Amino acid sequence: MLIHLKIPSRFSRFAHGDHEFSLHVETMEQLLEDVCQQNPELRSRLLNEAGSLWPYFAVLHNSQRLSCEGLSNLNLSHEDTIEIMTLVSGG
Amino acid sequence: MSEDQASVASKSPWEFSFQRFYVDLSAAGVRAEEVACQDYEDVFGGIARGFKFLKDLAVEDAYDPRATLVMNLGLLSGTDFMTGLRTYFQAYSPLKRALSGQPSAMWSAGSGKFGTKLRYLGVDEAVFTGRCARPSILRIYRTGDDEATRFEFLDGTELAGLLVNDKIQKLHQRFPDAHFAVIGPAGENYQTVRFAAVALSTENQLKSGDPKSRYCGRGGMGSLLGSKNLLAIVADVADQRATKQPAELKSINQAVARGEGSRRFRDQGKGDGGGGTWANYEALNPLHAMPEMNFVPTNGDASVPLYRPHVEEGPYVVKDESCFRCGISCHKNVYDRNQEGKAGAFRAKLDYEPLNLLASNIGIFDIEQALELVEQVDQLGMDSISCGTTLSYVMEYNKRYPDKPIADGLSYGDYAKTREIIGRLGEGEMGEVGQGTMRLSEELDATSFAMHCKGVEFPAYLPQTNPGYPWALAGGHMSMRTMFLLLLERETDLDYWVSAITDKGYMTIRDDIVGICKFAGMTHDQVCDGIQALTGLEIDVPKLEDLITRTFLRGYQLERENGFTDDDYDMPAESHEECPQIELPYFNTPEFFAGLKRRVQVRLGEMLVENDMV
Ligand code: SF4
């Protein structure tokens, strides 16, 4: 199924200028793996050595923020959007 | 800028003027001047105009009565641009200084509604010199729409010694239409507290009676007001009726309230919000990339109870609240949970920086204790960043030198003693500690773990991961946006960091030129559109970027002209040491930093030439 992925725009320089992707995948893990395979420089920016998202990211599924639990039980549907948002902020 | 200057037509800077009031506190005299704008700096105001104005006004002693304190607005302060609420205090700081001892130009900004009232009064800028003969209140007021703005000096003796909120509530009873800028006891004791803040009142504070001020914290601007014997400034005028917003502004304000830029600061409960700066705990601590114990993270999970979700499990309710007409609602106000499970007594407003620096970084991991300390520091009118970082320095010093302790041997995690010391500090009884980290560490000849640059204490981001700190003009997270770069981008080469500091990091000062909150997260395009819609000023992104660059360079130039040499752009020695528990690349070595410094200084010199500033 087709899933739309949005990552923070600051990471577009690690992804050939893009920060929005549409990928044919079944799971969240596949989604992250595919986008990092296509854009190897993204891997260390998004994922830790275990292949999980760094803890300073939040995930939004169809614009709703997911809890950790929600993320591990996530079922994707065709045309869903996943957005990765950085949590760190200050000022 | 006056309302009638707003127009859809594009105007050049020299078609604008602004109102500056010279306030001689010694003579209790005021002179008004309408100044024709010469350039974009004049039109924008904020720190762009402030730095220009301060250029030839350097002093040897920040507390010299002849020293100048500028209070002004940015172009969008007090307008209908959402978050356009900023008031700026600018001066040669009692805290920031060169190694040679000369005070350095600095600013501090705050929201609340005080700036909006100044705008209604037509006060674009007030320049204070001299010193009031007795503790005073300055009331700025206007009795009718067609009346001139007037200034009156009132006896402030009855406010002396009161906590911040007590001062504000007392003033509110007397001047119900007004908003207020006040200092706390710390500012009154300026000789012994160099990091006092100026508190600005909010609508929520006046309505609820709760201590919910916004603070101009950095650089000791409250100490400076105290040195001028000015305890409060009252902006006393009725609210103006809302005017119809230009259509473009409506969509910009929607972007401020609901767009991507502000999303991280909005509440998580509102669907897609990031939860505000408090979320840094959950983001940084798992990598041990968050200050604990004077900026040396422990390798454990001691700070976990301070995460917001864990706090909400306890007998507390966290509410997101806001300044005047702001849809971001970044204030995370903590209340006791009452018997109905709802918000009861107000406890404290928690942002990441005060929480971290007055809890984890001083070895306190209990939320109840943290709430008490944050609120105590706010109420005494001190900058929580400078206060917290100075306390952690004291604790580290006492740990290393148990034979010659200072501050009654204050130690990490000792809540009762910390509370006592903070109380005495705010009351002016801890002169050594109140000098701030730089002066104290010099006095003790123990500077390697004194966490400051140029006398301004570090905010709650590890210096080990941020070699950009020395080039921040007014505090490391407000004026040089390099503190998250290693975490997010993981680049460790020199070219990257030179560019991060000299091309991008300083761009964050834009909002202190414009008059809006950084939390709005606007793009330059959106800011230009908002300015055009509200003022008619002809401005585009390249011009805006040029203005920001000139302002940054002017600040740097003021440093260099007032005693700063290359030696001043350094970091505490221990921030270059490897800290294996931080799960981020180690790169800020002494060698790396020496190379970076050489190249940044050269590049800044080139930029001054390119901008015709030498
Ligand atoms: S973002 Fe926060 S500080 Fe700024 S105006 Fe809105 S509520 Fe106030």
Side-chain angles (χ1 to χ4, degrees):
Chain A
M1 56 193 161
L2 189 67
I3 303 296
H4 305 289
L5 172 69
K6 198 169 165 192
I7 62 173
S9 54
R10 70 183 312 143
F11 290 150
S12 59
R13 70 189 192 89
F14 305 117
H16 309 100
D18 294 328
H19 71 285
E20 291 182 337
F21 312 86
S22 292
L23 297 158
H24 288 277
V25 293
E26 299 300 317
T27 65
M28 183 71 188
E29 291 72 37
Q30 276 179 14
L31 182 69
L32 295 173
E33 186 51 41
D34 276 21
V35 77
C36 290
Q37 244 174 38
Q38 288 173 23
N39 305 282
E41 284 194 76
L42 268 186
R43 187 175 295 277
S44 65
R45 274 88 194 182
L46 291 181
L47 307 178
N48 63 19
E49 288 86 14
S52 307
L53 274 176
W54 288 113
Y56 45 85
F57 291 119
V59 176
L60 287 91
H61 177 220
N62 297 334
S63 302
Q64 283 304 307
R65 175 117 175 246
L66 291 175
S67 63
C68 291
E69 208 180 309
L71 186 57
S72 51
N73 297 327
L74 177 63
N75 287 318
L76 293 174
S77 303
H78 185 59
E79 294 278 7
D80 274 1
T81 59
I82 291 289
E83 182 172 357
I84 294 171
M85 166 171 84
T86 50
L87 276 181
V88 285
S89 59
Chain B
M1 305 293 141
S2 60
E3 271 258 315
D4 54 8
Q5 286 173 321
S7 140
V8 286
S10 278
K11 290 180 179 173
S12 313
W14 44 93
E15 293 176 71
F16 287 77
S17 62
F18 67 93
Q19 285 291 328
R20 176 182 281 150
F21 294 86
Y22 292 90
V23 183
D24 181 340
L25 298 168
S26 302
V30 180
R31 177 169 64 84
E33 183 184 28
E34 174 150 356
V35 184
C37 294
Q38 306 286 322
D39 49 28
Y40 280 103
E41 278 83 340
D42 286 348
V43 182
F44 272 77
I47 65 166
R49 196 198 297 139
F51 273 173
K52 219 177 108 178
F53 188 78
L54 287 173
K55 183 164 168 44
D56 297 316
L57 298 172
V59 282
E60 291 296 316
D61 173 7
Y63 294 147
D64 185 327
R66 288 168 301 180
T68 302
L69 172 64
V70 176
M71 174 182 80
N72 74 7
L73 301 176
L75 184 56
L76 296 182
S77 303
T79 68
D80 287 335
F81 191 104
M82 192 179 283
T83 81
L85 300 169
R86 304 296 262 182
T87 305
Y88 303 100
F89 288 88
Q90 302 162 73
Y92 287 86
S93 162
L95 195 66
K96 179 185 173 189
R97 71 151 167 81
L99 290 168
S100 63
Q102 280 176 267
S104 187
M106 169 111 188
W107 77 90
S108 194
S111 299
K113 201 177 170 187
F114 178 73
T116 305
K117 291 284 189 178
L118 287 182
R119 173 69 72 204
Y120 294 162
L121 285 161
V123 179
D124 297 310
E125 189 159 282
V127 176
F128 300 102
T129 50
R131 182 171 202 276
C132 301
R134 56 180 183 179
S136 296
I137 300 166
L138 175 63
R139 177 178 174 233
I140 311 173
Y141 69 103
R142 197 171 57 216
T143 44
D145 283 351
D146 300 327
E147 300 292 315
T149 294
R150 296 172 192 278
F151 290 64
E152 71 173 329
F153 291 87
L154 305 168
D155 183 7
T157 311
E158 64 165 12
L159 296 183
L162 295 183
L163 297 174
V164 163
N165 192 48
D166 293 342
K167 280 195 178 86
I168 287 176
Q169 300 302 344
K170 209 173 182 79
L171 288 166
H172 176 50
Q173 281 174 6
R174 194 164 156 197
F175 307 107
D177 274 341
H179 270 267
F180 314 99
V182 308
I183 57 172
E188 295 173 45
N189 294 301
Y190 63 93
Q191 302 97 330
T192 44
V193 192
R194 287 183 179 271
F195 43 76
V198 182
L200 306 179
S201 58
T202 64
E203 287 227 308
N204 188 336
Q205 177 175 26
L206 300 187
K207 280 189 187 134
S208 66
D210 291 336
K212 292 173 175 170
S213 309
R214 302 298 299 176
Y215 286 85
C216 305
R218 311 262 37 211
M221 295 300 144
S223 306
L224 207 47
L225 263 189
S227 79
K228 298 200 170 298
N229 231 351
L230 200 49
L231 273 43
I233 304 170
V234 177
D236 191 5
V237 66
D239 279 347
Q240 288 184 349
R241 233 180 289 138
T243 49
K244 196 168 178 295
Q245 288 185 4
E248 306 92 300
L249 189 66
K250 261 193 193 154
S251 65
I252 292 169
N253 280 344
Q254 276 171 1
V256 175
R258 292 198 280 279
E260 268 200 41
S262 67
R263 196 167 53 170
R264 277 169 299 160
F265 301 97
R266 301 200 301 264
D267 208 54
Q268 196 176 335
K270 288 186 177 157
D272 66 349
T277 60
W278 194 349
N280 286 349
Y281 258 80
E282 290 153 82
L284 299 174
N285 193 46
L287 299 180
H288 308 296
M290 187 187 80
E292 292 174 320
M293 311 298 198
N294 198 40
F295 297 85
V296 180
T298 62
N299 212 3
D301 52 10
S303 289
V304 172
L306 299 176
Y307 293 10
R308 176 172 166 179
H310 297 148
V311 171
E312 286 177 304
E313 284 163 12
Y316 307 104
V317 171
V318 182
K319 288 174 74 175
D320 61 317
E321 297 179 334
S322 71
C323 298
F324 182 55
R325 297 202 302 224
C326 177
I328 299 173
S329 301
C330 77
H331 313 180
K332 307 302 172 210
N333 289 335
V334 182
Y335 297 81
D336 284 331
R337 189 186 298 277
N338 66 18
Q339 283 175 337
E340 290 88 56
K342 301 218 170 84
F346 173 77
R347 298 299 305 279
K349 175 185 156 296
L350 287 191
D351 276 318
Y352 166 67
E353 287 87 4
L355 175 62
N356 176 272
L357 296 171
L358 290 168
S360 300
N361 202 41
I362 56 173
I364 284 177
F365 304 103
D366 176 288
I367 186 62
E368 184 59 28
Q369 295 177 352
L371 291 170
E372 290 288 324
L373 297 182
V374 169
E375 194 47 26
Q376 186 188 18
V377 170
D378 274 357
Q379 283 302 303
L380 288 164
M382 290 187 280
D383 175 29
S384 50
I385 295 178
S386 285
C387 180
T389 298
T390 306
L391 290 175
S392 69
Y393 173 80
V394 169
M395 292 170 181
E396 184 62 27
Y397 178 87
N398 286 340
K399 188 174 143 200
R400 293 183 191 208
Y401 302 98
D403 300 342
K404 37 180 182 170
I406 56 169
D408 294 352
L410 181 67
S411 61
Y412 287 122
D414 184 344
Y415 167 71
K417 176 72 76 182
T418 304
R419 201 163 156 71
E420 181 204 324
I421 295 289
I422 290 173
R424 285 166 54 196
L425 182 54
E427 296 298 339
E429 296 163 15
M430 301 292 299
E432 217 180 6
V433 180
Q435 299 306 300
T437 309
M438 182 190 203
R439 290 167 175 83
L440 178 60
S441 66
E442 288 173 348
E443 187 76 21
L444 296 167
D445 195 20
T447 57
S448 66
F449 55 95
M451 295 301 180
H452 71 92
C453 275
K454 304 186 285 200
V456 183
E457 286 76 12
F458 288 156
Y461 308 94
L462 294 174
Q464 297 90 330
T465 66
N466 181 15
Y469 269 143
W471 291 279
L473 293 174
H477 70 311
M478 298 298 285
S479 54
M480 179 55 67
R481 206 77 176 167
T482 47
M483 70 273 199
F484 295 129
L485 292 181
L486 181 68
L487 180 86
L488 295 174
E489 304 200 355
R490 298 184 178 248
E491 303 274 12
T492 57
D493 66 274
L494 267 181
D495 287 347
Y496 171 89
W497 277 93
V498 173
S499 167
I501 293 163
T502 62
D503 294 332
K504 295 186 279 273
Y506 68 82
M507 282 285 162
T508 191
I509 66 174
R510 178 199 68 190
D511 299 334
D512 290 338
I513 294 170
V514 175
I516 61 175
C517 248
K518 293 188 196 316
F519 292 179
M522 295 284 90
T523 64
H524 286 345
D525 275 316
Q526 289 169 315
V527 168
C528 290
D529 288 349
I531 290 170
Q532 294 252 9
L534 276 162
T535 70
L537 176 69
E538 181 255 314
I539 183 82
D540 56 23
V541 172
K543 286 198 184 93
L544 179 64
E545 287 185 341
D546 285 350
L547 171 64
I548 301 165
T549 300
R550 281 198 307 276
T551 302
F552 170 68
L553 291 173
R554 199 167 274 127
Y556 175 68
Q557 207 170 29
L558 285 180
E559 291 180 348
R560 303 297 300 210
E561 286 170 3
N562 292 291
F564 278 66
T565 69
D566 284 351
D567 289 343
D568 286 274
Y569 299 88
D570 259 330
M571 301 185 71
E574 291 182 28
S575 58
H576 297 302
E577 289 177 5
E578 183 164 16
C579 194
Q581 60 272 39
I582 302 173
E583 293 177 32
L584 288 171
Y586 168 53
F587 79 111
N588 187 10
T589 62
E591 298 73 30
F592 176 89
F593 185 76
L596 179 70
K597 177 164 139 173
R598 253 192 318 275
R599 288 193 45 194
V600 168
Q601 299 295 83
V602 168
R603 180 66 199 125
L604 293 179
E606 291 168 356
M607 287 165 71
L608 285 168
V609 174
E610 288 161 14
N611 285 275
D612 290 331
M613 293 177 73
V614 282

